[in-house]
Amino acid sequence: MAEYTILFGVALLLDIIVTFRASRLWTKYRHYFPFCCSYPVTHNVPIEVVPEGEENENDDEKQSLVMEEGEAKTDKNNDEQSNARYSLLLRNYLIVYLLATFSDWLQGAYVYALYDAYDYPQHLIAVLFVAGFGSSMVFGSFVGGMADRGGRRRFVVIFSIVNAAGYITKHFRNFHVLMLGRLLGGIATSLLFSVFEAWLIRAHANAKVMDKLSSSFSTAGFGNSVIAILAGLVSNKAASHGKLRPWDASLDTKEGMFFVDGYLNPFDIALLALICCGICATFLWEENYGESGGKENAENSPKWYDGLKRAYKTTIRNRDILLCGLVSSLFEGSMYIFVFMWTPAMQNLAKKEEGLGEDDSVELPYGLIFSTFMVCCMTGSSLFSIVAERMKGEALAVVVFAVSSVAMSLVIVSSNSNVTFIAMNIFEICVGMYFPVMGTMKGMIVPEDQRAAIYNLYRIPLNFIVVSSLLAHLTATQGFVAVTIMLVTATFLQLALARRRLNVSSLADMSHLQSLAMNTAKIKL
C-alpha cells in the first residue's frame, strides 16, 4: 500500500516552499537565498566636476528632475489608490465566494452516502446524479444570459436561495422530493461556476485593476483549497455527531419521511453558509451587468432564451471563444471523471499489493488522501502566481495540459500504488494551476456583455461528458484512458489557441518568446 502519510508530508512541505516563494515574504527575505534570484549589477559612478560655463544647463536639468519627481509622486499616489481599491474588491469577493464554495464542499462527500442510507438502490442513485448534471446542462444554458441582463449580484443571491432549497429537500426520504433537490442543485452549480467569475472580472474592469485579475484568480484558487480542507474536517465531525433518524422518534427508519442528524448535519451547516453568502453579497457587492445589461435595456430582450442564442452565435463565429470553451470543457470533464475514478483505482491497486480478491474489502485513509489532493491544489495556485510573471497564460496552459496528460498516462500504466498516487497529485497541482490560468484567459477572450451566458454554454459539453461517463459504467482503467485522451486533445487545442493569441506559427517561436519574457522578468526577481 502507498505511503500516504509520508507523501502527504512531502506535499505539505512543497506547498509551504512554493507558497512562501509566491508571497510578499519572499520580497522581504529573498536576500537570504542568493542562489534563487539574480540582482542587477550596480557600478560605481564617478563624481563629475561641472565646469562653470555649464551651470545654466545643469539648472535646467535640475528643474527637469524636480518635475519628474513630482510625476513619480503622483504615480505613487495613483498606485496606492489602485491597490486600496483592489484590496477592498478582493476582500469582498473572497468573503462571498468562499462562503459559497464552503457550502459546496461541506455536503459534496455525503450526497451518495445519504441516498444509500435512505436505502435507495444504486441504479436510482445513479438516476439522481444524472438528473443533477442534466439539470445543470439544460437550465444552465440560459440562466447565464439572464444573469448578464438581470444583474450578477442578484443572481448570486438567487444562487443562495435555490441551493438552500435543494439542501432542505435532502431531509425528505421521498424520491420525487430528492429529484427536485437535484434539479435545483444543477441550476445552482451552473450559477456557482459562471456568475461569481463574471462578477469578479467586471468588478476589476470597473475598478480599473484588470492587471491584477490573474492574481485574484490565484488567490481565490488557493483560498478554495484551504476551504475544502476545512470543510472536510467540519463535515466529518458533523456527520459523526448523531445517527440519521426520523424527526418523529416513534417511527421506524423505513417508515419515516422527514429525517435529521447524521449525514444531514453537513447539509444543515452548508445551509447556514449559504444564508451568510446571500446576505454578504447583498451588502458587500455592487451590482454589475454585461455591457448591454441593466434596467434600461430590459425591453430589448423580452425572450428568456435570447441570451443563449446570442452566446451561441458569438461562440460559433469567434474561433478563440470556441477553442477556449472546448479546452475548458475537456479539462473540467476529465477532472470530474478523475473524481469518480480515483477511489476504485487506488482500491484495486491496494488489493493487488496485499494479495486480496476483487470481492474483498480494503480500507484506505480517504481523509488523508483528499487532504493531500487539496494541498497539491494549493501548491498549483501558488505556483501559478510565480510562473505567471514569466509566461503568457496561453503558453502556460499548454504546459499544464501536457503535464496533466503525462500524469494520467502514468496512472494507466503504473502497477505501483506510490507511483500512481504521486501521478494523481501531479494532476492535482495542474488542477490548482488550471483555474487561475483559465479564469484569466476567459477574462481576456469572452466578451463582457455575454460573459455569464457563454460560461454556462461552455458547461453544456462538460455536463454531457459527465453524464455520458456515468451512464457508460466505465471501469477505473477505462475512465483514466478516457481522461488521458481528453487531456491530450485539450493540449493540442490549447496549442492552436496559443498560436492564434500569441501570433506565433511554431513551438520554436513560442519558446523564443517565452525565453525573452523570462530574461525580462529576471530583474523583477
Side-chain angles (χ1 to χ4, degrees):
M1 188 177 293
E3 299 291 342
Y4 293 109
T5 304
I6 295 175
L7 292 175
F8 172 76
V10 172
L12 185 60
L13 178 61
L14 178 62
D15 178 60
I16 293 171
I17 294 171
V18 175
T19 302
F20 170 72
R21 171 61 183 83
S23 69
R24 295 180 181 179
L25 293 174
W26 171 255
T27 305
K28 185 176 180 180
Y29 296 105
R30 66 181 180 181
H31 58 277
Y32 291 109
F33 307 93
F35 52 87
C36 294
C37 56
S38 58
Y39 298 93
V41 179
T42 57
H43 301 280
N44 293 325
V45 180
I47 300 175
E48 184 178 356
V49 179
V50 182
E52 294 182 0
E54 298 181 7
E55 290 179 356
N56 293 333
E57 295 181 6
N58 289 341
D59 290 340
D60 292 338
E61 291 179 2
K62 289 178 181 178
Q63 291 178 1
S64 177
L65 288 173
V66 170
M67 293 177 62
E68 289 178 1
E69 289 177 0
E71 292 175 357
K73 289 180 180 179
T74 302
D75 292 340
K76 184 178 180 181
N77 291 334
N78 291 337
D79 289 341
E80 290 177 353
Q81 294 175 3
S82 176
N83 290 335
R85 291 196 304 271
Y86 172 69
S87 297
L88 180 63
L89 185 160
L90 184 61
R91 185 201 68 185
N92 291 344
Y93 173 73
L94 289 178
I95 290 173
V96 177
Y97 172 71
L98 294 181
L99 279 170
T101 57
F102 182 61
S103 70
D104 192 52
W105 285 115
L106 274 170
Q107 51 83 37
Y110 293 95
V111 177
Y112 184 95
L114 179 65
Y115 295 157
D116 185 58
Y118 282 155
D119 292 327
Y120 284 111
Q122 190 169 1
H123 72 277
L124 286 182
I125 295 176
V127 169
L128 289 170
F129 273 92
V130 170
F133 288 107
S135 169
S136 181
M137 181 170 61
V138 175
F139 293 104
S141 61
F142 59 83
V143 294
M146 295 169 65
D148 285 330
R149 302 192 66 83
R152 280 99 180 235
R153 182 187 67 179
R154 181 178 291 114
F155 271 76
V156 166
V157 176
I158 291 174
F159 154 82
S160 300
I161 296 171
V162 170
N163 213 11
Y167 290 165
I168 291 173
T169 63
K170 298 296 189 293
H171 285 271
F172 293 86
R173 187 177 176 270
N174 180 283
F175 184 80
H176 299 291
V177 176
L178 292 174
M179 175 64 74
L180 174 63
R182 290 299 298 172
L183 296 177
L184 294 174
I187 297 172
T189 300
S190 293
L191 291 172
L192 175 61
F193 288 101
S194 60
V195 177
F196 285 81
E197 192 171 309
W199 183 92
L200 178 65
I201 296 171
R202 181 67 175 184
H204 275 70
N206 292 343
K208 299 179 180 180
V209 289
M210 282 296 289
D211 58 312
K212 299 182 184 296
L213 183 62
S214 61
S215 177
S216 297
F217 280 119
S218 178
T219 304
F222 184 88
N224 187 32
S225 299
V226 174
I227 284 295
I229 297 172
L230 176 62
L233 297 173
V234 172
S235 62
N236 184 64
K237 185 71 174 178
S240 61
H241 187 270
K243 188 177 181 180
L244 185 69
R245 61 179 178 83
W247 173 266
D248 187 348
S250 63
L251 295 176
D252 184 73
T253 304
K254 295 183 179 180
E255 297 175 348
M257 180 65 69
F258 187 86
F259 283 72
V260 293
D261 289 339
Y263 293 141
L264 287 166
N265 289 334
F267 290 91
D268 293 337
I269 299 174
L271 181 63
L272 294 176
L274 284 172
I275 294 172
C276 294
C277 174
I279 293 173
C280 290
T282 302
F283 292 100
L284 296 179
W285 284 15
E286 295 180 355
E287 187 61 277
N288 69 39
Y289 306 85
E291 290 178 355
S292 60
K295 294 181 180 179
E296 66 278 5
N297 293 310
E299 66 275 5
N300 295 336
S301 179
K303 297 179 180 179
W304 58 268
Y305 56 81
D306 184 70
L308 174 62
K309 286 175 60 179
R310 292 176 62 237
Y312 174 76
K313 290 179 180 179
T314 301
T315 302
I316 293 300
R317 292 171 181 174
N318 189 307
R319 192 175 179 187
D320 286 1
I321 298 176
L322 179 61
L323 285 172
C324 185
L326 291 173
V327 166
S328 64
S329 295
L330 286 169
F331 188 90
E332 292 179 30
S334 69
M335 188 177 66
Y336 275 106
I337 296 176
F338 172 83
V339 170
F340 299 147
M341 296 298 174
W342 73 260
T343 299
M346 295 306 297
Q347 285 178 339
N348 292 339
L349 282 176
K351 289 177 183 178
K352 288 181 181 179
E353 292 178 350
E354 295 184 9
L356 300 175
E358 292 184 2
D359 297 331
D360 294 326
S361 61
V362 62
E363 290 296 326
L364 296 176
Y366 296 110
L368 188 62
I369 293 173
F370 177 78
S371 297
T372 308
F373 286 160
M374 290 301 101
V375 167
C376 288
C377 277
M378 292 164 58
T379 303
S381 298
S382 299
L383 189 60
F384 168 80
S385 299
I386 300 170
V387 182
E389 299 174 358
R390 306 184 176 195
M391 293 184 70
K392 292 286 187 179
E394 293 83 355
L396 178 57
V398 175
V399 177
V400 169
F401 297 151
V403 173
S404 299
S405 304
V406 174
M408 290 297 97
S409 299
L410 281 175
V411 172
I412 296 172
V413 301
S414 173
S415 58
N416 182 282
S417 57
N418 283 310
V419 174
T420 300
F421 189 55
I422 290 171
M424 289 180 175
N425 281 285
I426 292 173
F427 176 73
E428 288 292 338
I429 291 175
C430 292
V431 170
M433 297 184 71
Y434 164 80
F435 283 105
V437 74
M438 182 53 68
T440 305
M441 280 174 50
K442 289 194 291 189
M444 300 296 107
I445 293 174
V446 178
E448 181 59 44
D449 61 328
Q450 303 173 61
R451 186 174 301 283
I454 291 177
Y455 282 10
N456 274 298
L457 196 64
Y458 286 171
R459 293 188 64 80
I460 293 177
L462 162 63
N463 285 297
F464 178 78
I465 291 170
V466 175
V467 170
S468 299
S469 66
L470 287 173
L471 295 177
H473 302 292
L474 301 175
T475 65
T477 302
Q478 291 171 339
F480 282 111
V481 169
V483 165
T484 304
I485 293 172
M486 291 164 59
L487 290 173
V488 170
T489 305
T491 302
F492 283 102
L493 290 176
Q494 180 59 36
L495 183 60
L497 178 61
R499 287 175 177 174
R500 288 175 57 83
R501 300 283 297 174
L502 301 177
N503 295 319
V504 295
S505 58
S506 66
L507 281 172
D509 292 335
M510 192 180 299
S511 299
H512 177 64
L513 284 176
Q514 296 308 323
S515 64
L516 289 176
M518 291 178 66
N519 290 332
T520 304
K522 281 183 179 179
I523 193 170
K524 296 181 181 180
L525 294 176

